[in-house]
Amino acid sequence: SSDLLVLMMSIPGLALFYGGLVRTKNMLSVLMQVLTIVSVAALVWVSWGYSLAFTSGSPYIGGLSKAFLAGVDGTTFAATFSNNVYIPELAFVVFQMTFACITPALIVGAFAERVKFTPLIIFTVLWLTLAYFPVAHMVWYWAGPDFLPDAPTDTGLLWGMGALDFAGGTVVHINAGIAGLVGCLVIGKRLGYRTENMPPHSLVMTMIGASLLWVGWFGFNAGSNLEANAGAALAFINTLVATAAAVLAWALTEKIFKGKSSALGVASGAVAGLVGITPAAGLVGPFGAVAIGFIAGVVCVWGVTGL
């Protein structure tokens, strides 16, 4: 079920969120970009992505021992965070697949309306291979609790250094955010930027997309616990209250500095809170999550209006 929720974040959630923000003439292209990127990423993941991210190799990247899912079937298992607790490996493959699908789709928001389709798809394959899979391996790969005594150094570089990324703040959000920043700097400003009005064409669709993202995010964060227990419950409540705090923080910040809050603001606040709590979702208490969400809401207003 967590797999389905994360897939829903991409299509329809992210597609509608981005689609509503662009001009009418560009909505179909954004929807097509997101849907196609998800499809391409899914096939790249089962071909070589899962193996590069989640097999032992070097601290920086895995190997190709499970390329094309070699040796992965209904009888193999993946470790969780508890001793002697395992899940079907195919369930882990498809859960992580949905993360790999949404991450390159996140990037297109940074240069929406300004990129050609075919080069974007080629970029997606290259970026997944050269950026996403190595970072996923460095942050998330480890031998599992039952095997660490035998292989204490069989971890990704950042995992071994003690980095804590519960559900993807580094692997997904910082990774895609930096790629989006570089992408928009390389591609350059929109034609007509600051000289013609470019309002979002449908804030209703953006609100629907943001709402679907929020619902789907419970699969993203609570599902990352890999077990249906108190850890998942903690990630669940943190995801809810951090997002609520960020919505209010964005609305209040807009009210103070612009004189009124906006629908785009509260939708953006929700996404800011979701992103903010993701790496800490299973690692802080509910009021720590509220603090993180509130700070994320305020800082991200500055990010999109000042930075």
Side-chain angles (χ1 to χ4, degrees), residues 1-10 95 98-99 102 216 219-220:
S1 60
S2 292
D3 311 343
L4 291 174
L5 286 168
V6 181
L7 180 62
M8 188 184 74
M9 290 170 65
S10 305
F95 181 63
T98 56
F99 280 63
I102 197 171
F220 201 88

Side-chain angles (χ1 to χ4, degrees), residues 209-228:
S211 304
L212 288 166
L213 282 166
W214 192 349
V215 175
W217 222 289
F218 292 106
F220 201 88
N221 286 359
S224 290
N225 192 63
L226 300 180
E227 302 168 66

Side-chain angles (χ1 to χ4, degrees), residues 58-216:
S58 75
Y60 303 94
I61 189 80
L64 292 172
S65 60
K66 293 185 180 180
F68 299 96
L69 300 186
V72 179
D73 58 33
T75 66
T76 57
F77 291 89
T80 63
F81 299 105
S82 301
N83 287 313
N84 299 314
V85 179
Y86 298 90
I87 58 174
E89 188 171 11
L90 288 173
F92 182 71
V93 169
V94 77
F95 181 63
Q96 285 292 341
M97 178 199 293
T98 56
F99 280 63
C101 289
I102 197 171
T103 308
L106 290 172
I107 299 171
V108 304
F111 40 72
E113 307 183 302
R114 290 177 283 167
V115 64
K116 289 186 176 180
F117 181 73
T118 302
L120 175 65
I121 301 308
I122 295 170
F123 165 82
T124 296
V125 175
L126 292 173
W127 185 84
L128 282 167
T129 304
L130 300 175
Y132 183 83
F133 303 150
V135 173
H137 180 82
M138 285 189 276
V139 174
W140 277 338
Y141 176 72
W142 67 315
D146 295 327
F147 304 99
L148 274 186
D150 304 319
T153 59
D154 188 13
T155 68
L157 178 71
L158 294 172
W159 179 287
M161 293 168 65
L164 297 174
D165 181 3
F166 188 78
T170 312
V171 180
V172 178
H173 302 123
I174 295 174
N175 213 1
I178 294 297
L181 176 62
V182 173
C184 71
L185 291 173
V186 169
I187 291 170
K189 294 180 179 179
R190 285 174 178 80
L191 295 176
Y193 181 64
R194 293 198 185 280
T195 60
E196 59 182 86
N197 192 23
M198 301 182 188
H201 92 275
S202 177
L203 284 178
V204 172
M205 289 190 180
T206 293
M207 186 67 80
I208 293 169
S211 304
L212 288 166
L213 282 166
W214 192 349
V215 175

